[in-house]
């Protein structure tokens, strides 16, 4: 059963999602050659805390493993679940996926973008553009009366027509009190299949798209998913609320109630030359 959110739950989802989007927006502004992914993660930790929220990633458990960072930061061939490191310094020509998931008042907001570091090769720029457009095409299908497979199909056909690979192992998902609720929302599938979409559902739609093969593997850290061929990968994600018509995107930066909007001081970055 896919949970339907009542008015109260939707209000809280809105708040968590606004915070997640605001933090993502602020992190994006820090991306530049020379910064380490550790510093970006620490900035994420501080920004999340400054909004009275907590990272839903930190301590997230799969089996006996707990995720050790506050955000997911995935560079180049890293698809998702990259762990910030002082050793990974961004360079001109890299791309980095920033995935921010926060919990506030018992509800979760989840969103991601992939951004270029300076100038990137044209085909990689196409990968980013295609992945973002695929997200919006998927979102457009998340309407009452449609089925989950309509979202999946829209994303897959658009992406594959452009010669990119759709990751199979990780999928979008329902989101609410938990980060991952029913249903699973694959980025590949058949039109008219899967559960029916009704108003009041909240979904994280998140195409993960590879420049080359769709195949991936997990590094020995147990978290970082990378492309099997070492080519770059992109990831865009929004949390949306379904309605009778077009869904509402909840993860947009917008003014917060004053209790949650105190402007943090500039995040402290470890100095390095
Ligand atoms: N934000 C991810 C998602 O889009 C999940 C994070 S997994 C964690 O579903 F291990 F980093 F927490
Ligand atoms: Co996410
Ligand atoms: Co997600």
């Amino acid at each position: 059963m896919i949970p339907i959110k009542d008015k109260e739950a939707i209000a809280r989802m809105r708040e968590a999602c606004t915070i997640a989007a605001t933090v993502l927006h602020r992190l994006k502004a820090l991306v530049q050659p020379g910064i380490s992914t550790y510093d970006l993660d620490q900035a994420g930790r501080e920004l999340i805390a400054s909004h009275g929220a907590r990272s839903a990633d930190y301590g997230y458990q799969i089996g006996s493993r707990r995720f050790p960072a506050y955000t997911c930061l995935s560079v180049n061939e890293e698809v998702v679940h990259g762990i910030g490191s002082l050793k990974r310094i961004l360079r001109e020509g890299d791309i980095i996926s920033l995935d921010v998931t926060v919990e506030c008042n018992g509800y979760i907001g989840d969103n991601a973008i992939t951004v270029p570091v300076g100038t990137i090769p044209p085909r990689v720029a196409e990968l980013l553009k295609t992945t973002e457009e695929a997200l919006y095409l998927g979102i457009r299908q998340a309407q009452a009366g449609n089925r989950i497979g309509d979202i999946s199909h829209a994303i897959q056909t658009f992406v594959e027509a452009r010669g990119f690979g759709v990751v199979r192992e990780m999928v979008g998902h329902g989101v609410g009190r938990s980060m991952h609720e029913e249903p699973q929302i694959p980025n590949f599938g058949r039109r008219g299949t899967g559960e029916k979409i009704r108003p009041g559902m909240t979904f994280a739609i998140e195409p993960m798209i590879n420049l080359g093969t769709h195949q991936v593997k997990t590094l020995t850290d147990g978290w970082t998913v990378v492309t099997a061929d070492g080519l770059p990968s992109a990831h865009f994600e929004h949390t949306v609320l379904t309605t009778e018509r077009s869904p509402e995107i909840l993860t947009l930066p917008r003014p917060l109630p004053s209790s949650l909007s105190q402007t943090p001081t500039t995040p402290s970055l470890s100095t390095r030359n």
Side-chain angles (χ1 to χ4, degrees), residues 3 7 53 82 89 210 257:
K7 243 181 142 189
I89 314 285
N210 297 348

Side-chain angles (χ1 to χ4, degrees), residues 99-101 110-112 173 206 235 237:
D99 189 344
V100 174
T101 313
D110 189 6
N111 66 168
H173 50 92
E206 51 178 314
H235 179 207
E237 175 176 36

Side-chain angles (χ1 to χ4, degrees), residues 4-241:
I4 302 289
K5 270 72 180 180
D6 63 16
K7 243 181 142 189
E8 171 77 14
I10 290 168
R12 291 183 181 210
M13 282 297 291
R14 255 186 233 296
E15 208 161 83
C17 287
T18 302
I19 294 170
T22 304
V23 171
L24 184 62
H25 199 74
R26 298 280 302 259
L27 274 189
K28 177 185 177 186
L30 296 174
V31 169
Q32 55 173 309
I35 193 168
S36 75
T37 56
Y38 177 83
D39 283 341
L40 283 174
D41 190 57
Q42 288 300 304
R45 178 178 63 75
E46 291 174 25
L47 287 163
I48 293 167
S50 77
H51 288 101
R54 86 176 176 86
S55 162
D57 290 349
Y58 186 77
Y60 180 80
Q61 207 168 351
I62 300 181
S64 60
R65 287 179 199 279
R66 287 180 178 276
F67 193 71
Y70 298 87
T71 59
C72 293
L73 303 172
S74 309
V75 181
N76 296 343
E77 76 288 354
E78 297 174 352
V79 180
V80 287
H81 307 164
I83 299 164
S85 159
L86 272 172
K87 285 185 275 186
R88 193 110 201 203
I89 314 285
L90 297 185
R91 294 181 204 298
E92 175 94 20
D94 286 344
I95 57 171
I96 180 168
S97 303
L98 316 168
D99 189 344
V100 174
T101 313
V102 308
E103 187 257 329
C104 181
N105 289 321
Y107 284 85
I108 288 188
D110 189 6
N111 66 168
I113 52 176
T114 303
V115 295
V117 183
T119 307
I120 57 173
R123 183 66 178 157
V124 180
E126 263 175 64
L127 171 69
L128 302 196
K129 188 162 174 268
T130 298
T131 308
E132 186 169 22
E133 283 177 18
L135 167 60
Y136 285 98
L137 286 175
I139 288 174
R140 192 183 301 166
Q141 292 298 318
Q143 292 206 30
N146 280 4
R147 291 178 184 271
I148 297 300
D150 296 322
I151 302 172
S152 309
H153 180 263
I155 293 172
Q156 181 179 21
T157 50
F158 181 75
V159 166
E160 290 182 349
R162 282 154 187 78
F164 297 114
V166 175
V167 173
R168 309 289 204 263
E169 282 78 357
M170 280 89 41
V171 296
H173 50 92
V175 55
R177 282 193 167 281
S178 324
M179 176 155 56
H180 297 136
E181 293 182 347
E182 280 188 62
Q184 294 201 353
I185 309 175
N187 297 301
F188 57 94
R190 296 207 329 273
R191 209 183 259 155
T193 63
E195 283 200 71
K196 243 200 178 132
I197 297 167
R198 299 177 203 285
M201 295 177 171
T202 43
F203 295 156
I205 301 178
E206 51 178 314
M208 288 152 271
I209 308 300
N210 297 348
L211 188 72
T213 178
H214 67 78
Q215 279 162 319
V216 298
K217 58 184 187 183
T218 304
L219 297 185
T220 52
D221 65 15
W223 290 103
T224 312
V225 178
V226 298
T227 56
D229 57 12
L231 292 174
S233 181
H235 179 207
F236 283 81
E237 175 176 36
H238 271 308
T239 299
V240 305
L241 168 68

